[in-house]
Amino acid sequence: MPIVTIYAKEEITLVNYVTKPNKCVILLSTMHNDKDVIDDRKTKPESTPDSTKSGVDFLDQKARISSCKRQSRRWPVVFFSNMLDVAGINSWIIFDLQRSDRYGNVSHKLRLFLKDLTEEMTT
């Protein structure tokens, strides 16, 4: 039986959705800002992002292309590597929207952008 806890304040809603004893999903949403999110114990809440999973899949796909992650047992290193990957992809999306003609019609724009970004960050 899923347990749903909802915290709503102005335009932000935080949903804590427990599906199994050791499985917890925490969702922060600015799209669903009402307190009338489904609070039924048998179904998952309305703000659970079924239709927006493609964004996460897109991010994972792009992160696999060129990642700075290395195998480590220390969680801060893993967390920091993931932050760098996400920040690089987010900056590429913004850059591509503003200057899509910079790299022409090559298929590896992201890799070229990340190479230029690392050179700029290290200088």
Side-chain angles (χ1 to χ4, degrees), residues 15-44:
V15 177
N16 182 9
Y17 176 67
V18 179
T19 56
K20 298 177 184 174
N22 294 327
K23 177 104 174 166
C24 177
V25 176
I26 299 174
L27 173 70
L28 181 65
S29 175
T30 57
M31 187 170 144
H32 303 86
N33 55 5
D34 298 330
K35 285 190 175 183
D36 57 330
V37 179
I38 298 173
D39 196 8
D40 186 6
R41 300 288 186 221
K42 295 179 183 164
T43 61
K44 61 183 170 182

Side-chain angles (χ1 to χ4, degrees), residues 61-73:
Q61 177 189 13
K62 295 300 178 186
R64 265 186 245 120
I65 290 173
S66 184
S67 177
C68 67
K69 292 181 184 173
R70 299 292 175 256
Q71 192 170 13
S72 176
R73 289 183 164 193

Side-chain angles (χ1 to χ4, degrees), residues 40-123:
D40 186 6
R41 300 288 186 221
K42 295 179 183 164
T43 61
K44 61 183 170 182
E46 178 184 309
S47 62
T48 305
D50 288 330
S51 61
T52 58
K53 285 184 180 177
S54 61
V56 175
D57 294 338
F58 174 79
L59 179 70
D60 290 342
Q61 177 189 13
K62 295 300 178 186
R64 265 186 245 120
I65 290 173
S66 184
S67 177
C68 67
K69 292 181 184 173
R70 299 292 175 256
Q71 192 170 13
S72 176
R73 289 183 164 193
R74 299 183 340 203
W75 70 265
V77 174
V78 174
F79 183 75
F80 183 70
S81 300
N82 189 45
M83 280 180 37
L84 285 178
D85 286 343
V86 171
I89 293 167
N90 285 342
S91 60
W92 171 70
I93 291 170
I94 293 169
F95 180 82
D96 194 43
L97 288 173
Q98 294 178 352
R99 308 250 337 252
S100 60
D101 59 334
R102 169 78 163 94
Y103 294 107
N105 265 346
V106 294
S107 61
H108 53 282
K109 289 182 188 181
L110 175 60
R111 188 168 290 146
L112 292 174
F113 173 77
L114 290 176
K115 180 180 176 280
D116 291 345
L117 180 65
T118 53
E119 287 174 359
E120 287 293 322
M121 288 175 64
T122 54
T123 56

